[in-house]
Amino acid sequence: MIRIGQAGIPLSCKGRTNKDGIAYTHKNLDLNAIEIQFVRGLYVMSDEEAQFIREYAQENDIEIHVHAPYYLNLAGDSEEIEMSYEKIIRSAQMANNIGAKTIVIHPGFYGEHGEKKTLKIIIKNLKKITNILKKEKIKIKIGLETMGKQKVFGTLDEIIEVCRNVKETIPVVDFAHIHARGNGSLKERADFEAIFETLKPLKLKHYLLHLTGVLYEKGNELYHLPIKRGDMPIAPLIEIILDNNYNVTLISESPLLEHDAVYIRLQVEKAIMKRTGKEEAYYKDLSEVT
Ligand SMILES: [Zn+2]
C-alpha cells in the first residue's frame, strides 16, 4: 500500500486548524496520510478537536503521524534532557489522543560527546521514555528521523542502531536529509536500494518516508526546496517501492507541502500506468501492479 500526504495543514486550506487540515487532505486532495506538526514549543489541542481528528481519520482511512517540537536534545545537559522528555511525552499523549501511529523526533546533537557516546546516551534516554509511555498505556511508536547536518545525531546507521536497541522506535527515512548529508549521494536507483538494504535487519512491515527537495553545502542541509527544484530524483524510489510492493507512507516536507504531495502522487500514478499500459491509474489501487 502507498499512502501519501504532507507535513502539516495544506497551504491552500483556508481553515488553519489541524481539524480543517485533515478534512481538506481527504476531501479536496484525496490523499490518505498527514503528519500533524506539534513543532513549536508545547502545542495544545482541545479534546474536541482531538476527538474529531481521531474519528475522522478512522472513518476515512487517513493515517496520522505527528512531528514533535524540532528542538530536542536527548544527549544534552540534564536540563535539555528534562525539556526533551517533557516535550516528547506531552506530544505522545496528544498524538495518542488523535490516533496517530508515530511521533517523529529529531533525537539530538553530538555536542562534546563523540559519536559513539552520543549513541549510547540517546539509547539510554529513549529506553526511559518508552518505559514511561508504556506505563501510561500510550501505544505509539517513536520515529527517529535521519538528519541532514554533520553535527546532528542521525545518520542512517545511527538511527538503525537505536531502533535495534529500543523497542517501540522506528526509523523515519528522510531521503533529502540523507542526500544532503552525503553531499548529493542519492542519484540513482542503486543509491536508494542501498538504503532499503541497510534497513533490512529491522524487518519493517511499513516505512515512514519523508520527501522534499533540498539545498545543501559540504554535507549539510541548508534548506528545503520544492521537489522539482532539488537535485534528488524521486522516480527511482517510486520504482523500488512498486517493484517490492513496499508498504509505505510518503510525506511531503517540501515548502510546497500538498502541491508536492500531489506531485508525488502523480509520479506514482505515472509509474503505475507505465506498468499496466493503461491511460489511468489510482495510487490507492495497486492490484494490477503487483
Ligand atoms: Zn523532522
Side-chain angles (χ1 to χ4, degrees):
M1 176 172 215
I2 299 181
R3 288 185 179 270
I4 303 171
Q6 75 288 321
I9 302 163
L11 300 169
S12 48
C13 174
K14 282 208 184 86
R16 300 312 297 163
T17 65
N18 285 307
K19 186 171 143 180
D20 301 321
I22 191 170
Y24 190 90
T25 299
H26 171 63
K27 266 197 254 160
N28 299 61
L29 302 170
D30 191 21
L31 297 176
N32 53 1
I34 188 167
E35 186 179 285
I36 292 181
Q37 308 291 295
F38 291 167
V39 293
R40 308 209 186 280
L42 278 178
Y43 180 85
V44 182
M45 182 185 274
S46 70
D47 289 344
E48 182 269 328
E49 185 174 16
Q51 189 189 351
F52 174 91
I53 292 174
R54 186 176 63 241
E55 289 172 3
Y56 192 89
Q58 255 166 17
E59 276 161 28
N60 299 293
D61 189 30
I62 313 296
E63 188 179 272
I64 302 177
H65 304 277
V66 160
H67 201 305
Y70 292 135
Y71 191 80
L72 300 174
N73 190 6
L74 289 170
D77 58 26
S78 56
E79 213 172 286
E80 280 182 316
I81 292 174
E82 199 53 46
M83 171 275 290
S84 304
Y85 273 32
E86 193 186 334
K87 283 184 181 169
I88 294 171
I89 290 164
R90 187 81 192 90
S91 305
Q93 287 163 336
M94 277 191 297
N96 196 51
N97 284 345
I98 60 175
K101 259 179 100 165
T102 317
I103 163 174
V104 180
I105 68 164
H106 301 170
F109 301 82
Y110 303 117
E112 287 147 34
H113 312 301
E115 287 158 24
K116 286 224 172 85
K117 184 149 187 229
T118 306
L119 177 75
K120 272 192 190 156
I121 299 171
I122 287 180
I123 289 174
K124 188 184 82 191
N125 286 324
L126 274 170
K127 277 185 180 164
K128 282 191 196 160
I129 290 176
T130 51
N131 278 332
I132 296 171
L133 295 182
K134 209 171 151 192
K135 271 190 207 134
E136 292 197 17
K137 299 206 165 44
I138 294 173
K139 276 195 188 148
I140 198 154
K141 299 255 189 248
I142 297 187
L144 308 168
E145 194 174 310
T146 57
M147 300 302 295
K149 287 180 184 158
Q150 302 295 327
K151 63 174 192 208
V152 183
F153 177 87
T155 64
L156 181 63
D157 288 333
E158 286 169 341
I159 296 296
I160 290 172
E161 197 50 33
V162 179
C163 295
R164 286 162 73 113
N165 282 281
V166 190
K167 271 189 223 160
E168 311 306 330
T169 63
I170 56 157
V172 178
V173 182
D174 190 310
F175 288 101
H177 285 169
I178 294 174
H179 183 64
R181 196 166 190 148
N183 208 40
S185 54
L186 303 183
K187 293 188 191 79
E188 50 188 62
R189 181 176 171 127
D191 303 326
F192 290 92
E193 257 166 357
I195 294 175
F196 286 99
E197 205 49 48
T198 316
L199 288 165
K200 252 192 188 148
L202 293 178
K203 299 197 174 81
L204 300 170
K205 291 197 181 76
H206 170 258
Y207 297 93
L208 178 55
L209 310 174
H210 281 174
L211 274 182
T212 175
V214 67
L215 190 70
Y216 54 88
E217 194 182 71
K218 294 180 185 149
N220 286 301
E221 162 196 30
L222 295 176
Y223 49 85
H224 290 185
L225 292 172
I227 291 175
K228 277 193 254 182
R229 301 241 336 262
D231 66 353
M232 180 184 79
I234 65 164
L237 170 65
I238 293 169
E239 292 296 326
I240 293 168
I241 293 169
L242 291 175
D243 283 347
N244 293 282
N245 195 19
Y246 284 144
N247 183 17
V248 301
T249 302
L250 293 159
I251 298 291
S252 159
E253 288 220 325
S254 127
L256 301 180
L257 288 183
E258 79 276 17
H259 302 286
D260 266 348
V262 170
Y263 174 70
I264 294 167
R265 170 182 171 174
L266 293 176
Q267 297 307 109
V268 168
E269 291 177 343
K270 227 166 79 181
I272 296 172
M273 284 188 265
K274 208 170 89 189
R275 281 152 201 255
T276 60
K278 292 187 175 167
E279 283 172 25
E280 273 180 1
Y282 186 36
Y283 75 103
K284 291 181 186 173
D285 179 8
L286 300 178
S287 59
E288 289 180 72
V289 182
T290 50

